[in-house]
Amino acid sequence: MLSSPVSESHGPLSHYLNAFPVTERWPAQYPDRLQLYSLPTPNGVKVSIMLEEIELPYEVHKIDFGQGDQRSDAFLSLNPNGKIPAILDPDGPGGRPLPLFESGAILHYLAEKTGKLLPADPAERWHVSQWVYFQVGHVGPMFGQLGFFNKFDGRLWEDKRPLQRYVDESKRILGVMDTHLTGREWFVGDAFSIADVSMLGWVRNLIGFYEAGDLVGFDSFAAVKAWLERGLARPAVQRGLAIP
């Protein structure tokens, strides 16, 4: 991920990046590299896994929720929604720096930029997109709410109907995934893609950090379970899960 700093710390790339307030709070030691602002959450690891898979040089900056980094003016200047991950690519379209937030958009951008983890066939590219949107619209929000009501403050609520609502919906989503993955190694075609990248961290968290495997009957979703094991066995995925 990191080697030696660029020799011209005041060169053009450094000058362009310095125009972004986020680099004042988190200075770029390697201004010629993509700058990643993140934490190893299910959304955060999407981008770190992607960067490790495509082997694009980058520099990572930890956004510490405990210190309120995500609410700082510097970070909000990059992502007004105050969420991770976000990136600042010094070599964006036209050779100009590109700030970008929202993990799904970042995955698509990096895939287009490098020509990796996205099929060449137009129809399959759209199939990949639909599963990324499926993750963004369903997997993330529902699994995240289940985690809140099972492990965090929501577990103290006497009314267990919200928990059951998200348990039931998470089971339904896993069923959709399981039906699709039956007979397949990956979500689209025969190759690992950004569709898989988008979901691995969320499924891993559901049964790990959120401690909801038994609640959703995860072992009954054999195709999803096998897919998760294949994905987590990838060296780049293992590295990406631990960054920053």
Side-chain angles (χ1 to χ4, degrees):
M1 181 173 64
L2 297 178
S3 57
S4 59
V6 293
S7 58
E8 297 282 343
S9 62
H10 298 290
L13 286 175
S14 177
H15 173 72
Y16 289 148
L17 288 187
N18 287 343
F20 293 88
V22 71
T23 64
E24 297 178 13
R25 176 76 176 270
W26 294 277
Q29 186 180 6
Y30 304 84
D32 61 331
R33 299 182 179 197
L34 183 143
Q35 305 293 304
L36 170 63
Y37 307 86
S38 192
L39 271 181
T41 67
N43 279 331
V45 299
K46 294 180 197 175
V47 179
S48 53
I49 288 172
M50 180 68 176
L51 288 166
E52 290 294 324
E53 285 279 353
I54 63 179
E55 299 181 320
L56 185 70
Y58 67 101
E59 180 178 1
V60 64
H61 306 276
K62 179 180 179 180
I63 304 303
D64 191 337
F65 287 179
Q67 298 297 320
D69 286 349
Q70 76 277 19
R71 296 188 297 274
S72 67
D73 290 342
F75 186 73
L76 291 173
S77 72
L78 180 63
N79 182 0
N81 195 34
K83 304 288 185 180
I84 58 94
I87 65 169
L88 179 53
D89 185 2
D91 184 28
R96 305 291 294 184
L98 176 71
L100 201 62
F101 63 89
E102 285 298 323
S103 57
I106 296 171
L107 289 182
H108 272 288
Y109 169 70
L110 293 174
E112 293 282 357
K113 176 183 176 75
T114 62
K116 297 180 179 179
L117 301 196
L118 196 61
D121 178 78
E124 288 201 342
R125 289 168 77 92
W126 281 112
H127 288 157
V128 165
S129 293
Q130 74 180 357
W131 285 109
V132 171
Y133 285 123
F134 172 81
Q135 183 280 307
V136 171
H138 299 277
V139 175
M142 296 302 106
F143 289 9
Q145 292 290 348
L146 176 52
F148 173 80
F149 284 104
N150 186 51
K151 183 169 182 175
F152 298 106
D153 290 352
R155 75 186 188 281
L156 302 176
W157 294 17
E158 292 184 10
D159 187 347
K160 298 305 178 184
R161 287 175 295 179
L163 171 62
Q164 191 59 51
R165 183 260 193 277
Y166 291 114
V167 168
D168 292 344
E169 183 62 6
S170 294
K171 286 182 177 180
R172 187 193 71 80
I173 289 168
L174 287 167
V176 172
M177 297 167 67
D178 199 68
T179 298
H180 178 75
L181 284 168
T182 299
R184 294 183 171 92
E185 287 198 0
W186 307 112
F187 268 89
V188 179
D190 299 322
F192 186 79
S193 73
I194 59 172
D196 303 285
V197 172
S198 72
M199 298 196 218
L200 280 171
W202 278 107
V203 178
R204 174 178 177 262
N205 247 44
L206 179 70
I207 64 174
F209 186 65
Y210 291 159
E211 301 172 354
D214 290 341
L215 271 180
V216 299
F218 185 75
D219 286 344
S220 66
F221 300 102
V224 175
K225 186 176 181 179
W227 162 84
L228 179 63
E229 291 172 355
R230 282 192 296 274
L232 294 181
R234 296 174 69 89
V237 171
Q238 294 175 19
R239 295 192 300 270
L241 287 169
I243 294 171

